[in-house]
Amino acid sequence: MAKTAATTGHPARIDQLFAGPGARADRWRNLVELAQAWANGADKAKFEAALGEMTATEEFHAYPGSQLMTALRDRAAANDAQGAVALARRITRALLTRSFRQSAGDWDANEDADEVAADVMPPGTGRAEARRPYFEVLIVTGAPAARWPALCAEWRRLRRPLDQFVYEPVIVGSFEDAVCASLLNADLAAVIIHDGFVFRSRHDAPILRTLTAEAEEKETAQMSALRLAQVLKRIRPELDLYLVSNAAVEEIAGDPKADVVRRVFYAVEELLELHLSILEGVQDRYETPFFDNLKKYAQRPIGTFHALPIARGKSVFNSDWIRDMGEFYGINLFLAESSATTGGLDSMLEPTGNIKRAQEKAARALGADRVFFVTNGTSTSNKMAVQALLAPGDIAIVDRNCHKSHHYGMVLGGAQPLYVEAFPLTAYSMYGAVPLRTIKQALLNLKADGRLNRAKMLDLTNCTFDGHIYNTRRVMEECLAIKPDLIFLWDEAWFGFARFSPFLRPRTAMGAANEIEAWLRDPKSVEAYEKQQAELGADASDETLLNTRLIPDPRKVKLRVYQTNSTHKSMSAIRQGSQLSVKDVEFHTVEAQFKEAVFTHASTSPNQQLIASLDVSRRQMELEGYGLVHNAIEVALAIRQAVAQHPLISKYFSILGADKLVPAEYRESGFTDYLDGKTNWATARRSLHEDEFCLDPTRMTLVCGTAGYDGTQFKGMLASRYNVQVNKTSRNSVLVQSNINNTRSDIAHLVRVLAEISNEIEQRLAQGGANVRKEFDARVKSLMTDVPDLPNFSHFHDAFRKDAGKRTQEGDMRSAFYAAYDAEGCEYIPLGDAEIDRRLKDGPDLVSANFVIPYPPGFPIMVPGQVITQETIDFMRKLDVKEIHGYDAAEGLKLVSADALAKLAGVAAKRAA
Ligand SMILES: Cc1ncc(COP(=O)(O)O)c(C=O)c1O
């Protein structure tokens, strides 16, 4: 894993996992230290060795570039230790502050240079144009390395003051180097691939090979440019790819494989065209149709004679009483407010203009066919999808621990949930994810009951709150093998950022859907299916089907995948910004229903800032998402490591790895943890490829029960005493999450706080004597060992299973929900009342009238119509959390009375007859 200098004192090797921008900065800092040591009399060889090790990977970045790297080597050769220190320090500072993007002086080896030679510094950078966004372009070429500096100079000469952006070329000569550069250089926005490059890197750096394993490519004498383009597109789909060839470009352009390429050029005579295309490609990602228009709108002198008095801000800024709000938020917030959908603004309910275009761009970025912007959070996106895709009576296989929006969506729409259980993590009072075997069994049961046609949807959370990631592709393929038109709704509220990591992307809904789509088109897929059918035979038992990795029939599959993202949870959208992505070959059959769902759930007054932030967050992720996500992962791994390695912190706290949170049977690759010394890019990738469940590295379950704190208490203390906010809690843990906003200072702050708390505990225990120790041990035992068993979903009462099958547990939750509206048909019994125990023993059944959702853990332990069992009551009685939605301790459990149930059952029986 990525060992940062911050935690180990040594910079990370690049083949170690997620050694990203932080690790690069560490390598430079380390070089400065070695130069300083040399200047103070230590061995020069160490400095030279470190510099030598960095040479290969530094070539994947424009800065510091070959001239400054050569200057460093020259200073070593000339025994100029002070000169080496000064230059290494300047380069490091320029990298850390990113000043090289604007400052011409950073590109010159000579600090005191009055004038910077034109071919040393990139023209186009410099004070006057300091604010132009900067990116880098990878050029893959067969030209000899000696010609590269001249090529760079040629590219720089193309720059014009009119250009909206400025970029630097980065030149490589092989397939391996191109793949490494695409992985290591987050500043890349485009790639130009010329014919004639070779496979092997010119550097004999075996550590690069673990990176190129990503591409799963075999060596051939000359690599095909189209093949490289395809590999790069898989790693970084946001990059614009250009092919330059001397061969028959017409043929190349017509090849279906060239779909991944933005344009094909004939030879180099088109250099200026290529330059303009690169800028246009970046401009296309930079353009934010809604936000751009909103900015223009805000500049116009507009008289508003509609609702929304705060639009234009006059009632705010002219007020003695609320002007502070205006001053706090700034004038633009009000100038950009409008309730109009005309005058250049579009309608969220029926977008035809810039919202539509913004959504189309979001679809491109997320790998979807279409995207709906939603301004009421993923709570609403989920309800929209459930309503649009399910009709009353349809069955949906649902993770019982999913967010409440799914359960309420089913209540509203009348769909019948068939709850499936995730594997429990009782020790931490939380659930994992639903095993594929459980899901397949549910489908096979429905089939055996002759009711598979009513099963319309599989509804799962990916990743779960605690970070369990499904093998989305495998789940969908195996389910499609049983029901080829099953719809998948993946709640990826937390996982939107994963699209921008090549490691996590295949395990997102859209990432997997794109791979399945490609597989469906491959003629070999039908062969694979038929071969498996021949092996299975016509009457394969359920057991055989459960034990086989099922292949669907590509000719029958109708791929219907939906993904919801809380864009505000992992990208730069304002709170409640959410996106619903669609990849559904049958979308035309549900389009009208989707409109209705939008009309049902979307506000008629959507917030303009929110829509703009959805648009802008897409721009950001397409242009810098790769680096930001990489950094978030690196931050998480550094936190994991700091906690594990600190002698005092690790005595009281730990962050759970995959070995603790994913049972071994679901880790087929043998992966144990990101901290395992053997983990590198290749092993982590294998786990992500093969394992049934993986852990999102950015979600960290920090166990605090071992420090004597329950989750809620610890979360409160972090917030009130240390200004540290964390995510959810469990009985004995809190969830710490890194995101694209985190920096290494945040790591330092968290580690400092944990060290301080550990120190306090240590002192308290040392000074408190035997009693304090005894109390502490008892508290830890209570939190860590005396944990309540997690109750499974029991079953719906027969009164709500009028049309249910024999083998499955689905029920008519809507009727149960509305039964609670009949006050006379409901009763309340306090949780501690002996009547509960008597009823559990002798009946009649206790049937919940509503959802009961304790926070934590946050999943419904009772749903309307569910028969309450001893396990549920035991769990409730042991539960020591204050916040339980749907349960009033003074009144007790709200139940559908036995009389009401008898009446409902009678009605149901009559209907069934
Ligand atoms: C899995 C899951 N889905 C959906 C939601 C709701 O998302 P939002 O807060 O954007 O409405 C949440 C919220 O925490 C969630 O955890």
Side-chain angles (χ1 to χ4, degrees):
M1 92 120 231
K3 293 182 172 60
T4 65
T7 55
T8 65
H10 302 291
R13 283 165 44 130
I14 61 152
D15 63 332
Q16 284 167 330
L17 187 58
F18 301 119
R24 184 175 178 221
D26 286 339
R27 279 194 296 277
W28 276 99
R29 261 191 295 259
N30 182 52
L31 190 75
V32 173
E33 275 169 31
L34 292 174
Q36 189 64 61
W38 166 35
N40 293 342
D43 191 358
K44 176 172 83 167
K46 281 194 180 152
F47 169 79
E48 286 186 310
L51 183 60
E53 248 184 51
M54 287 160 62
T55 305
T57 49
E58 284 303 317
E59 276 191 10
F60 304 140
H61 303 273
Y63 187 83
S66 62
Q67 305 214 25
L68 289 182
M69 288 301 279
T70 306
L72 273 175
R73 275 189 295 272
D74 289 349
R75 286 183 191 187
N79 273 328
D80 178 6
Q82 291 301 349
V85 174
L87 184 54
R89 193 169 276 149
R90 278 180 53 221
I91 294 174
T92 306
R93 197 183 319 118
L95 279 170
L96 285 179
T97 59
R98 313 202 307 175
S99 60
F100 68 89
R101 293 156 179 243
Q102 277 92 39
S103 161
D106 286 344
W107 294 75
D108 197 312
N110 179 5
E111 198 168 7
D112 305 323
D114 289 336
E115 244 177 57
V116 180
D119 58 343
V120 171
M121 76 119 186
T125 57
R127 301 224 168 275
E129 297 148 291
R131 300 214 16 115
R132 284 198 289 179
Y134 168 95
F135 60 90
E136 294 179 8
V137 174
L138 182 68
I139 301 174
V140 189
T141 173
R147 274 218 355 101
W148 295 357
L151 278 178
C152 277
E154 243 174 75
W155 277 100
R156 288 179 187 142
R157 273 196 291 276
L158 291 168
R159 289 180 187 158
R160 305 158 313 154
L162 271 180
D163 295 343
Q164 202 188 342
F165 314 107
V166 64
Y167 66 87
E168 265 293 296
V170 174
I171 302 188
V172 294
S174 72
F175 175 91
E176 285 190 333
D177 288 324
V179 171
C180 288
S182 75
L183 282 165
L184 295 177
N185 184 343
D187 290 329
L188 293 182
V191 185
I192 302 166
I193 307 174
H194 293 262
D195 282 338
F197 56 91
V198 295
F199 179 81
R200 283 269 175 230
S201 167
R202 71 196 179 109
H203 300 285
D204 183 23
I207 50 174
L208 297 183
R209 306 271 134 76
T210 58
L211 302 190
T212 47
E214 167 67 16
E216 289 176 338
E217 205 58 42
K218 302 271 169 309
E219 177 168 5
T220 52
Q222 271 221 346
M223 285 301 300
S224 136
L226 270 184
R227 181 70 201 125
L228 175 60
Q230 285 186 311
V231 168
L232 294 179
K233 205 65 184 174
R234 262 179 78 91
I235 299 174
R236 306 260 311 255
E238 76 281 8
L239 296 180
D240 288 330
L241 306 181
Y242 300 92
L243 240 59
V244 183
S245 177
N246 290 319
V249 281
E250 304 77 7
E251 217 171 277
I252 297 172
D255 188 328
K257 289 203 233 57
D259 286 354
V260 297
V261 173
R262 194 160 186 274
R263 258 188 87 172
V264 179
F265 288 91
Y266 182 66
V268 279
E269 67 211 30
E270 304 275 12
L271 214 52
L272 181 62
E273 280 297 306
L274 196 43
H275 169 72
L276 295 175
S277 297
I278 288 167
L279 294 178
E280 189 191 60
V282 172
Q283 169 60 31
D284 186 31
R285 275 174 274 165
Y286 188 80
E287 187 205 14
T288 35
F290 183 80
F291 177 55
D292 297 348
N293 186 65
L294 193 64
K295 282 193 290 185
K296 270 194 226 136
Y297 175 89
Q299 304 306 321
R300 287 164 48 197
I302 288 172
T304 58
F305 293 98
H306 50 68
L308 200 70
I310 64 150
R312 319 308 291 175
K314 283 177 276 190
S315 69
V316 176
F317 286 95
N318 291 338
S319 163
D320 280 350
W321 301 103
I322 66 166
R323 193 185 308 128
D324 61 333
M325 173 167 92
E327 285 159 359
F328 180 72
Y329 284 113
I331 183 71
N332 282 341
L333 181 78
F334 305 94
L335 292 179
E337 265 298 359
S338 172
S339 63
T341 53
T342 50
L345 298 169
D346 199 2
S347 157
M348 266 289 277
L349 294 180
E350 260 183 297
T352 53
N354 47 52
I355 294 184
K356 182 164 182 280
R357 284 188 44 234
Q359 288 180 340
E360 283 163 4
K361 283 177 180 253
R364 172 185 71 195
L366 294 174
D369 289 342
R370 68 190 70 232
V371 159
F372 291 91
F373 283 176
V374 179
T375 59
N376 317 59
T378 296
S379 305
T380 297
S381 302
N382 289 336
K383 280 181 270 193
M384 276 169 50
V386 167
Q387 173 177 327
L389 298 166
L390 297 172
D394 285 348
I395 296 170
I397 300 174
V398 193
D399 174 4
R400 203 239 329 189
N401 309 306
C402 65
H403 186 257
K404 60 180 183 281
S405 48
H406 301 266
H407 304 278
Y408 280 104
M410 308 267 164
V411 164
L412 295 176
Q416 300 205 357
L418 197 177
Y419 286 121
V420 280
E421 295 289 346
F423 59 82
L425 292 160
T426 312
Y428 307 105
S429 282
M430 59 173 78
Y431 276 97
V434 184
L436 179 52
R437 197 181 170 87
T438 307
I439 297 165
K440 283 164 71 179
Q441 185 70 70
L443 284 167
L444 292 170
N445 287 344
L446 285 162
K447 189 173 178 188
D449 272 353
R451 292 146 44 80
L452 197 55
N453 62 329
R454 274 184 53 193
K456 292 281 161 57
M457 176 192 277
L458 174 65
D459 185 353
L460 296 172
T461 308
N462 184 54
C463 66
T464 65
F465 218 133
D466 298 293
H468 293 92
I469 311 174
Y470 282 85
N471 193 327
T472 41
R473 176 168 178 180
R474 179 170 169 195
V475 169
M476 291 198 276
E477 284 181 349
E478 292 217 41
C479 289
L480 290 169
I482 303 173
K483 181 145 204 300
D485 61 351
L486 192 65
I487 303 171
F488 300 91
L489 171 56
W490 294 96
D491 178 345
E492 301 198 346
W494 294 102
F495 212 39
F497 73 99
R499 168 85 196 157
F500 303 91
S501 158
F503 296 96
L504 301 177
R505 186 184 313 115
R507 296 192 71 133
T508 63
M510 287 302 133
N514 281 298
E515 291 194 353
I516 295 175
E517 191 181 48
W519 179 86
L520 291 173
R521 279 198 299 261
D522 186 342
K524 287 205 254 5
S525 308
V526 175
E527 276 169 39
Y529 166 76
E530 283 180 343
K531 182 163 173 281
Q532 183 174 75
Q533 286 303 302
E535 281 159 15
L536 286 172
D539 305 313
S541 68
D542 275 10
E543 200 48 31
T544 307
L545 295 175
L546 290 171
N547 292 333
T548 306
R549 180 162 185 163
L550 298 176
I551 300 174
D553 183 346
R555 294 156 301 193
K556 294 214 177 106
V557 166
K558 296 211 174 353
L559 193 59
R560 312 192 63 183
V561 187
Y562 291 78
Q563 165 186 311
T564 55
N565 294 125
S566 288
T567 320
H568 67 99
K569 289 197 204 297
S570 72
M571 294 174 261
S572 296
I574 293 174
R575 202 159 155 83
Q576 291 192 10
S578 172
Q579 280 157 314
L580 169 58
S581 298
V582 182
K583 194 154 186 62
D584 180 358
V585 291
E586 296 287 294
F587 188 75
H588 56 280
T589 63
V590 290
E591 191 160 7
Q593 288 143 232
F594 255 93
K595 261 200 182 146
E596 295 294 349
V598 172
F599 292 157
T600 308
H601 294 282
S603 165
T604 37
S605 311
N607 179 297
Q608 310 284 12
Q609 282 71 52
L610 227 157
I611 305 169
S613 75
L614 284 169
D615 202 9
V616 171
S617 62
R618 189 273 311 151
R619 178 209 288 175
Q620 176 175 45
M621 294 314 276
E622 276 198 313
L623 287 162
E624 56 177 352
Y626 176 80
L628 291 172
V629 171
H630 213 90
N631 186 57
I633 294 174
E634 206 182 6
V635 163
L637 295 177
I639 293 175
R640 283 172 188 270
Q641 187 154 53
V643 170
Q645 290 189 341
H646 193 289
L648 200 54
I649 298 178
S650 60
K651 211 165 148 185
Y652 298 105
F653 298 95
S654 57
I655 293 179
L656 301 178
D659 48 346
K660 296 281 185 340
L661 287 178
V662 181
E665 63 196 286
Y666 306 122
R667 287 182 277 114
E668 293 88 336
S669 75
F671 184 84
T672 52
D673 187 21
Y674 293 107
L675 293 191
D676 184 327
K678 292 194 261 343
T679 297
N680 61 22
W681 292 73
T683 53
R685 192 181 157 278
R686 213 180 122 212
S687 163
L688 283 159
H689 191 60
E690 292 173 15
D691 291 350
E692 181 164 351
F693 298 112
C694 292
L695 271 194
D696 171 0
T698 69
R699 302 180 77 74
M700 293 160 274
T701 299
L702 175 73
V703 178
C704 54
T706 37
Y709 296 105
D710 68 56
T712 314
Q713 193 186 10
F714 192 62
K715 179 177 175 171
M717 183 171 87
L718 287 179
S720 61
R721 271 181 58 188
Y722 299 102
N723 281 330
V724 171
Q725 292 185 2
V726 295
N727 208 310
K728 81 169 254 266
T729 61
S730 82
R731 183 177 165 82
N732 47 26
S733 71
V734 294
L735 184 74
V736 181
Q737 189 194 341
S738 69
N739 61 40
I740 61 169
N741 192 39
N742 287 118
T743 62
R744 291 178 75 175
S745 308
D746 298 331
I747 309 175
H749 183 46
L750 182 65
V751 171
R752 186 68 250 128
V753 166
L754 292 178
E756 201 176 311
I757 297 172
S758 307
N759 211 7
E760 262 177 31
I761 301 172
E762 189 82 350
Q763 284 194 5
R764 185 155 35 89
L765 291 179
Q767 294 161 6
N771 277 347
V772 170
R773 177 90 238 175
K774 212 164 127 198
E775 243 173 59
F776 178 79
D777 290 345
R779 174 80 176 142
V780 170
K781 181 170 175 297
S782 141
L783 290 169
M784 299 304 298
T785 331
D786 306 335
V787 283
D789 277 337
L790 298 172
N792 275 352
F793 175 75
S794 53
H795 56 92
F796 284 105
H797 189 271
D798 280 346
F800 308 111
R801 283 175 48 80
K802 53 183 186 286
D803 56 353
K806 288 196 265 318
R807 293 175 173 81
T808 50
Q809 300 278 17
E810 72 278 11
D812 173 13
M813 195 157 65
R814 182 164 66 172
S815 300
F817 181 85
Y818 284 108
Y821 279 30
D822 172 15
E824 283 176 12
C826 291
E827 57 181 333
Y828 293 87
I829 311 180
L831 192 58
D833 199 317
E835 174 67 1
I836 295 237
D837 303 276
R838 195 195 61 71
R839 291 268 297 264
L840 281 173
K841 204 155 142 259
D842 304 326
D845 282 339
L846 298 164
V847 176
S848 183
N850 53 1
F851 289 104
V852 176
I853 309 178
Y855 282 85
F859 60 83
I861 57 168
M862 296 174 206
V863 306
Q866 177 183 341
V867 174
I868 299 171
T869 58
Q870 186 72 52
E871 292 76 49
T872 318
I873 295 297
D874 289 349
F875 183 79
M876 281 287 283
R877 284 177 176 165
K878 269 198 186 176
L879 208 63
D880 46 11
V881 300
K882 306 267 173 312
E883 194 180 336
I884 306 179
H885 296 182
Y887 172 71
D888 182 335
E891 282 190 308
L893 295 172
K894 185 174 182 180
L895 305 167
V896 186
S897 73
D899 283 353
L901 286 169
K903 248 189 258 164
L904 284 162
V907 174
K910 239 189 242 158
R911 263 194 228 147

